[in-house]
Amino acid sequence: LPVPLSVAAMAAKRGTDEMRDRVVLGEFGVRNVHTTDFPGNYPGYEDAWDQRRFEEAFRVDVIREEEGVLEFDMVGIDAAIANAFRRILLAEVPTMAVEKVFVYNNTSIVQDEILAHRLGLIPIKADPRLFEYRNQGDEEGTEIDTLQFQLKIKCSRNPQAAKESSDPNELYFNHKVYSKHMTWVPLGNQTDLFPEADFRPVHDDILIALLRPGQEIDVLMHCVKGVGKDHAKFSPVATASYRLLPDITLLQPVEDEAAEKLQKCFSPGVIEIQNIKGKKVARVANARLDTFSREVFRHEGLKNLVRLARVRNHYIFSVESTGILPPDVLVSEAIKILMGKCQRFLNELDSVPME
């Protein structure tokens, strides 16, 4: 019998909607990976960009905020915008980091260059918004663009140590050089500019070097403002990543042994088993928790019962700060930088005469 037109049309619409809204994970590949919602691509769909429609669909939901970690959903945007946020967080939100190291004495086994490199990678607890960028070629820093730290430490023997002891912690004083030994030396009128400031390394227990009696380190450090695209030491995040929201659909009921096997194919908490009329029945409890290992495709009896997909415009962001600035501040700074880029682009368009 011929299929009624309305049913065929509905099936076609469902297929089109899936193509537009979902990235489908198959056994041997991923379908619908490309953005296709440009004007005229799908008859009957109005895909021309509209600000009002975008504002209605767009939202940001904060899911989890802990010390140094922020997880939030950004819904209703394109992959290009999501990736722009990620790239800006990694490479364009400025921080303060050690740029110049003046070595007055270093008799440790760590070479000067390695020591300077290690010091540069120590995150400094200083709000970069309080400082200006240092001018290129400027050797001497000023109070508005430079933070100065000193590290002066010498290892000596502990005369009270037991003779039979072999523990360096008992035998020596200051044999481990930590970031807590870095002290802020105010430049110019910085004491008046920042009366309540506590400029220091983010963590006190970062091991810089190991010393033995008679060895010492005496260095002066200049911290300047910079961005991650110049050097990774300026990057304010340990990691900034996003993933698309998982969407798991059971195409038909999965019961008893198959339900238990299905549960083991996914991350804990994704599939739960309910007892309905004496039968164990699987249901999707929280697809968000899944990592999409695609383990289910290894089982012949299960792989055709499940559809794995990701929601195309729902991005789960995870931002982990190095501790210099809280992650929510980093996100707001990234948004400001993106707005600045857009404004510069619009200014360029206005300034260039159209032919």
Side-chain angles (χ1 to χ4, degrees):
L1 292 172
V3 178
L5 184 62
S6 58
V7 176
M10 285 172 62
K13 186 178 187 307
R14 277 198 301 272
T16 304
D17 287 342
E18 180 184 282
M19 199 182 300
R20 288 160 52 83
D21 302 335
R22 296 290 186 270
V23 177
V24 180
L25 282 79
E27 186 177 359
F28 300 109
V30 184
R31 302 199 310 273
N32 310 341
V33 293
H34 300 294
T35 302
T36 56
D37 55 348
F38 47 84
N41 193 39
Y42 298 106
Y45 288 88
E46 181 50 62
D47 280 328
W49 194 84
D50 179 73
Q51 184 170 340
R52 182 187 57 78
R53 196 164 62 232
F54 169 77
E55 288 175 358
E56 288 174 357
F58 178 74
R59 73 176 198 273
V60 175
D61 302 326
V62 176
I63 305 300
R64 179 169 60 96
E65 188 171 5
E66 298 169 2
E67 187 179 357
V69 180
L70 177 68
E71 184 181 314
F72 64 94
D73 290 3
M74 199 177 276
V75 185
I77 56 167
D78 188 72
I81 306 297
N83 204 42
F85 277 118
R86 185 187 68 82
R87 295 282 294 270
I88 290 169
L89 281 165
L90 286 168
E92 294 189 54
V93 176
T95 63
M96 302 292 287
V98 173
E99 175 73 2
K100 290 190 179 295
V101 178
F102 302 93
V103 182
Y104 294 105
N105 196 1
N106 175 25
T107 54
S108 72
I109 62 166
V110 182
Q111 296 98 325
D112 293 355
E113 295 84 355
I114 304 298
L115 181 64
H117 183 259
R118 289 178 70 82
L119 292 169
L121 292 172
I122 294 172
I124 304 298
K125 187 78 172 178
D127 193 333
R129 295 170 294 183
L130 302 173
F131 298 90
E132 302 293 330
Y133 287 100
R134 189 192 273 197
N135 293 325
Q136 200 168 8
D138 189 359
E139 291 294 326
E140 294 296 322
T142 64
E143 61 267 18
I144 62 167
D145 61 27
T146 305
L147 272 177
Q148 187 171 257
F149 285 87
Q150 186 179 39
L151 175 61
K152 190 171 185 179
I153 190 167
K154 185 172 183 177
C155 180
S156 59
R157 292 187 185 277
N158 177 11
Q160 309 297 324
K163 288 186 178 179
E164 66 276 4
S165 174
S166 61
D167 184 1
N169 294 315
E170 293 180 17
L171 291 172
Y172 315 125
F173 290 129
N174 295 330
H175 77 105
K176 287 185 175 179
V177 183
Y178 286 109
S179 51
K180 66 183 177 185
H181 296 124
M182 293 169 58
T183 54
W184 174 44
V185 181
L187 270 174
N189 65 340
Q190 282 184 340
T191 311
D192 301 323
L193 280 173
F194 314 111
E196 298 179 9
D198 180 25
F199 299 130
R200 57 182 176 79
V202 170
H203 304 287
D204 290 335
D205 58 349
I206 299 173
L207 186 63
I208 298 171
L210 292 175
L211 302 180
R212 285 297 179 263
Q215 295 180 351
E216 66 175 301
I217 292 175
D218 182 6
V219 297
L220 200 66
M221 293 158 270
H222 281 184
C223 298
V224 302
K225 186 174 178 177
V227 292
K229 64 182 177 182
D230 293 331
H231 195 292
K233 67 186 176 185
F234 292 113
S235 185
V237 291
T239 176
S241 62
Y242 61 79
R243 61 193 178 100
L244 290 173
L245 177 72
D247 178 46
I248 301 169
T249 309
L250 300 182
L251 301 176
Q252 63 188 67
V254 183
E255 299 172 347
D256 299 328
E257 285 183 24
E260 291 178 348
K261 191 187 285 188
L262 182 75
Q263 187 180 42
K264 292 175 183 175
C265 291
F266 293 91
S267 303
V270 174
I271 302 291
E272 74 173 15
I273 295 177
Q274 295 178 320
N275 200 316
I276 299 175
K277 296 179 182 178
K279 285 187 175 182
K280 294 177 180 177
V281 180
R283 67 174 284 271
V284 180
N286 188 356
R288 185 190 184 93
L289 300 174
D290 197 39
T291 56
F292 276 171
S293 63
R294 292 193 269 189
E295 170 71 16
V296 70
F297 291 130
R298 297 179 62 192
H299 303 277
E300 284 296 328
L302 295 177
K303 65 182 183 182
N304 295 321
L305 306 181
V306 184
R307 187 196 71 162
L308 303 184
R310 289 188 183 270
V311 182
R312 188 190 291 278
N313 67 347
H314 189 134
Y315 294 87
I316 301 171
F317 272 84
S318 176
V319 179
E320 184 181 329
S321 170
T322 56
I324 297 169
L325 289 172
D328 57 324
V329 174
L330 294 178
V331 171
S332 65
E333 289 298 304
I335 292 170
K336 289 176 187 173
I337 289 168
L338 185 58
M339 289 167 65
K341 287 174 177 285
C342 295
Q343 193 57 57
R344 282 197 300 277
F345 179 67
L346 291 173
N347 293 343
E348 286 287 329
L349 289 178
D350 291 339
S351 62
V352 176
M354 302 296 286
E355 293 182 2

